[in-house]
Amino acid sequence: MNKRNDMIAGADLAFDAEGFRGIGVDGILAPSGASTRTLYKHFGSRDGLVLAVLEERHRAFMARLEAGGETADPIGALFDALEQWLVERGARGCMLLRARSEYAGANADVVALVRRQKHEFEAEIAARVKQVLGRADADLTVQVWLLFEGATAAASVADLSVVGAAKRAAANLLAAAGSRER
């Protein structure tokens, strides 16, 4: 890896463990061994590094979804990907939403980035709902999105079984939406 990528990976670990605003620059840079000067060279500011970490986190999850390929259960595959992600990275809630919360009044760029990323993810769910039903269903898309986000949050205080429960709830919603069409 190059130094920029090392810094993003190290900061991801630090932010995930300590939060965004409660950790000093030294703590953010310690995992990568980078200097403050290198931080400014690559990212312009601490907040620039935050944005890069959020971009990489979102890109990595969306790539995981894409790598799942075509499946007989595209909505269930969302929850399967989430469960695998939480097993590998830990269940501490959504890093994007935590960043949005911490930066709500402090950095409009972070808030806007998270909003864009969440809209992109919601569009992915909408495409999968349409694939399953053969038609768009905005309400069902939001319901599946809420189940996904809720499972992500709940796994941080319960256990990963909540992801399976959310997956089953989504399947029930899809079945009900499909039967309404008949």
Side-chain angles (χ1 to χ4, degrees), residues 1-43:
M1 278 204 274
N2 65 34
K3 191 49 119 176
R4 184 177 197 284
N5 291 342
D6 288 346
M7 292 172 68
I8 291 171
D12 180 285
L13 294 172
F15 292 141
D16 204 22
E18 302 292 331
F20 290 89
R21 298 183 54 136
I23 185 171
V25 171
D26 290 342
I28 296 166
L29 298 176
S32 66
S35 67
T36 304
R37 179 181 168 139
T38 305
L39 165 74
Y40 289 107
K41 173 185 171 191
H42 288 284
F43 303 101

Side-chain angles (χ1 to χ4, degrees), residues 82-83 124 163 175:
L82 173 62
E83 186 170 25
E124 176 66 25
V163 177

Side-chain angles (χ1 to χ4, degrees), residues 12 19-21 25 42 46 54 56-60 79 88 94 103 116 121 142 149 160 168 172 176 178 180:
D12 180 285
F20 290 89
R21 298 183 54 136
V25 171
H42 288 284
R46 172 195 170 111
L54 295 175
E56 177 54 25
R57 176 63 72 110
H58 180 67
R59 185 211 58 76
F79 293 93
E88 292 171 8
C94 176
Y103 281 96
R116 180 184 57 78
F121 181 63
V142 170
E149 296 292 348
L160 295 185
R168 290 186 299 279
N172 290 339
R180 284 194 311 260

